[in-house]
Amino acid sequence: MNVLVLNASYEPLQKVDLRHAIRMLVREVAVVEEAEEGRMFGGFPVPRVLRLVRYVAMRWRHGRRPPWSKRGVYLRDRGRCGYCGQRGNTIDHVHPQSRGGGNTWENTVLACGRCNNRKGDRTPREAGLRLRWEPRVPRWEDLVGT
Ligand SMILES: [Zn+2]
């Protein structure tokens, strides 16, 4: 179940899961604007809508995709190589950079040194490698490092 978070100015910002919402209440960064009738969770009414206590300037969250970054790829892929699932530590360009592949969410995956070497300047198909997941644009929530 997702909870809508409003800015202090009442504009919608994003949706978060219930646990995240409750943590925001515990930390007193948000207040309940609308709750499920008669339902409680962790001592709080189960919120449907929260509102931030302080205004945050988050214009960049509106409809914009998160900007590409190496760290973002690492977080999105949860530290795992996109080809073998082992711990990854380099950025692989699915369509090689040397052949025009760019730094985009859809064209980059985290890779381990071994797979990255094996792939070289080839496409996964040419190198006989298979992506374990389709690289995609992450949600903002995916990029919150823990
Ligand atoms: Zn690998």
Side-chain angles (χ1 to χ4, degrees):
M1 196 200 90
N2 285 322
V3 179
L4 179 65
V5 178
L6 306 177
N7 211 336
S9 56
Y10 289 92
E11 26 164 7
L13 286 176
Q14 62 171 336
K15 289 195 167 184
V16 297
D17 64 29
L18 182 57
R19 280 177 177 282
H20 190 132
I22 296 295
R23 276 203 302 274
M24 292 172 80
L25 290 173
V26 171
R27 281 165 39 220
E28 297 182 332
V29 296
V31 292
V32 177
E33 277 296 323
E34 198 184 311
E36 300 267 335
E37 210 158 328
R39 286 184 61 205
M40 299 288 283
F41 185 90
F44 292 96
V46 170
R48 258 200 287 245
V49 182
L50 292 183
R51 184 169 54 85
L52 295 181
V53 174
R54 287 160 188 266
Y55 180 79
V56 281
M58 286 195 186
R59 274 168 305 140
W60 43 269
R61 278 187 190 252
H62 279 289
R64 272 231 230 147
R65 42 161 62 192
W68 183 89
S69 68
K70 286 183 180 180
R71 174 152 173 78
V73 173
Y74 186 87
L75 290 169
R76 181 198 64 183
D77 295 353
R78 309 239 173 277
R80 299 285 160 198
C81 172
Y83 297 103
C84 70
Q86 301 295 307
R87 188 172 293 276
N89 48 21
T90 64
I91 301 292
D92 173 64
H93 293 81
V94 177
H95 188 77
Q97 252 182 326
S98 58
R99 287 152 63 175
N103 284 336
T104 63
W105 293 115
E106 294 90 343
N107 193 48
T108 49
V109 289
L110 197 67
C112 69
R114 241 186 62 190
C115 291
N116 204 26
N117 277 342
R118 183 175 158 194
K119 184 168 171 293
D121 279 347
R122 296 179 293 179
T123 65
R125 183 198 288 259
E126 288 164 359
L129 288 163
R130 264 186 79 149
L131 276 170
R132 296 161 71 96
W133 53 78
E134 196 66 39
R136 58 174 180 77
V137 180
R139 296 168 301 169
W140 287 100
E141 300 92 282
D142 296 333
L143 302 181
V144 180
T146 45

